[in-house]
Amino acid sequence: MTNVLKEQIREIQDDVIRIRRYLHQNPELSNHEAATSRFIQEKLTEYGIAFQTGYAKHGVLGIIKGTQPGKVVALRADMDALPIQELNDHPFTSNYANVMHACGHDAHTAMLLGAGHVLQQMREQLKGTILLVFQPAEEDSPNGGSKVMLDDGVFAEYTPDVIYGQHVWPDLPVGQFGIRDKEMMGASDRFEITLSGKGGHASMPHQTNDVMVAAGHLITSLQTIVSRSLDPLEASVVTIGTIHGGEAANIIPNQVTLEGSIRTYSPIIRKRLKERFFTITNQVAQVFEAKAAITYLDGYPATINTPKWANVVKASCTENKWRNTKCKPFLSRRRLQ
């Protein structure tokens, strides 16, 4: 059976590469994946895989029924792109300005279609049902497509006993799989801070409460949350991703806006970090006699794998001994993605 499976994978490999490159050239942002959804439906039809639509606008559920009774296993891939301008020079770069598959969702979708093709050919040997979950709007945290798909009843007819997802990982060499049986990816919260005060001329800073200087102090102060307010054995990250303020070199602005991201694993650490974030932001603003307006979005919870099912994957990729393939447990390197 292993040799047959290998041969089927080799047969579909080139098609999976073509699919990935096509999707990379034609990315769509969260909640706008209409063309991507149609493409997925066309490929499922080509492969003879039944499917359902109507979940989270553009979500698709492929259904592969084995010939023998058994449980339900769901395989999931995301399909949306990011608002990023691609700067690569590959022949399959994005055709659209400021839209790019920079997080690998094109690869995820292509791989799931490939897996569906192989499993459909093997359905005579399958026990139970396999669901192919193509999820839109993964990047639309905290109200992403997974929750909407569930609200729309994606599992109303078939309730999975286990759901597997995978994510490309550039740090791993080609041919290796990374597996953790506990924490895998961190909770992802986002924030926006607008500091407001009195602006003025650069030559007379004493007549202002300089929000640009306040922003500088705030960026540094927020980093002390992880280094001084949290357990050093618990992973967490506070990142400032953007800062916007000012229009001229000789003018102190009256407003500066910062945006960033917070990643954690433990709910206790997540709660503590958020409390310190608000306290430090408001008190730094007070020191400079400025005002702080905070928008804080509680994003997705951390991805915590079930050891039982993680070990099934580990056993599979080690026992089958795929040529040029290794299974690498993530013993200490977790990703606060």
Side-chain angles (χ1 to χ4, degrees):
M1 179 177 176
T2 299
N3 290 333
V4 173
L5 183 59
K6 287 182 178 180
E7 182 59 33
Q8 290 176 342
I9 292 172
R10 279 193 289 267
E11 289 178 1
I12 196 66
Q13 179 175 313
D14 289 342
D15 195 31
V16 171
I17 293 173
R18 284 191 294 269
I19 290 171
R20 183 259 164 178
R21 292 182 176 181
Y22 170 81
L23 294 173
H24 194 85
Q25 285 182 294
N26 298 277
E28 295 178 297
L29 297 175
S30 300
N31 299 304
H32 297 279
E33 309 95 334
T36 302
S37 180
R38 287 195 300 270
F39 177 82
I40 291 169
Q41 295 171 49
E42 291 169 2
K43 296 303 291 187
L44 292 176
T45 300
E46 177 186 334
Y47 297 156
I49 299 174
F51 62 87
Q52 299 173 355
T53 60
Y55 309 110
K57 293 198 292 188
H58 305 304
V60 181
L61 179 69
I63 304 167
I64 301 174
K65 294 184 178 180
T67 57
Q68 304 174 56
K71 295 187 176 183
V72 179
V73 176
L75 307 177
R76 171 264 186 193
D78 32 26
M79 52 200 277
D80 53 332
L82 287 163
I84 296 175
Q85 177 64 43
E86 183 161 16
L87 301 178
N88 295 316
D89 57 0
H90 303 302
F92 49 86
T93 53
S94 173
N95 292 327
Y96 301 92
N98 300 314
V99 185
M100 177 189 177
H101 272 296
C103 198
H105 296 184
D106 51 342
H108 300 166
T109 296
M111 288 187 287
L112 185 55
L113 284 169
H117 181 276
V118 172
L119 292 167
Q120 175 71 0
Q121 292 181 307
M122 297 176 57
R123 64 189 181 281
E124 297 295 328
Q125 305 168 55
L126 294 179
K127 298 179 180 180
T129 301
I130 296 175
L131 305 178
L132 310 176
V133 183
F134 296 91
Q135 180 206 310
E138 189 275 338
E139 301 290 352
D140 188 26
S141 176
N143 300 307
S146 59
K147 182 180 185 303
V148 183
M149 289 189 81
L150 290 171
D151 291 342
D152 287 345
V154 67
F155 296 142
E157 185 175 356
Y158 303 95
T159 302
D161 294 282
V162 59
I163 301 177
Y164 281 110
Q166 64 178 351
H167 204 296
V168 290
W169 207 283
D171 292 341
L172 281 178
V174 173
Q176 285 193 3
F177 295 92
I179 299 169
R180 282 190 57 82
D181 60 5
K182 293 181 181 179
E183 302 92 342
M184 189 69 203
M185 293 184 177
S188 175
D189 301 332
R190 291 184 295 159
F191 62 83
E192 179 182 285
I193 305 168
T194 298
L195 296 174
S196 300
K198 182 181 179 183
H201 198 275
S203 64
M204 294 176 284
H206 60 288
Q207 295 181 357
T208 75
N209 42 357
D210 194 333
V211 291
M212 193 67 78
V213 174
H217 279 264
L218 179 58
I219 292 172
T220 302
S221 297
L222 288 175
Q223 299 307 309
T224 66
I225 300 176
V226 174
S227 65
R228 286 296 176 268
S229 297
L230 305 179
D231 185 340
L233 298 181
E234 293 283 353
S236 55
V237 170
V238 177
T239 296
I240 305 295
T242 70
I243 177 167
H244 300 283
E247 297 180 3
N250 63 338
I251 299 297
I252 296 171
N254 57 18
Q255 193 171 89
V256 176
T257 299
L258 305 91
E259 295 177 288
S261 177
I262 290 175
R263 311 296 173 104
T264 53
Y265 286 118
S266 163
I268 296 174
I269 294 296
R270 189 180 189 185
K271 180 176 182 292
R272 172 63 172 161
L273 199 158
K274 183 176 180 180
E275 291 172 350
R276 292 295 296 148
F277 172 87
F278 273 85
T279 298
I280 288 174
T281 299
N282 286 317
Q283 290 186 354
V284 168
Q286 184 178 2
V287 166
F288 288 90
E289 298 181 328
K291 294 182 179 179
I294 303 171
T295 300
Y296 195 101
L297 299 176
D298 295 298
Y300 301 133
T303 299
I304 312 295
N305 289 333
T306 302
K308 173 183 176 181
W309 300 119
N311 289 328
V312 168
V313 177
K314 180 181 176 181
S316 177
C317 69
T318 53
E319 290 174 6
N320 281 317
K321 298 180 181 178
W322 298 99
R323 184 165 58 92
N324 299 326
T325 300
K326 296 180 180 179
C327 181
K328 181 180 181 181
F330 281 15
L331 298 178
S332 60
R333 296 186 63 188
R334 300 173 294 176
R335 189 176 188 184
L336 285 161
Q337 178 165 334

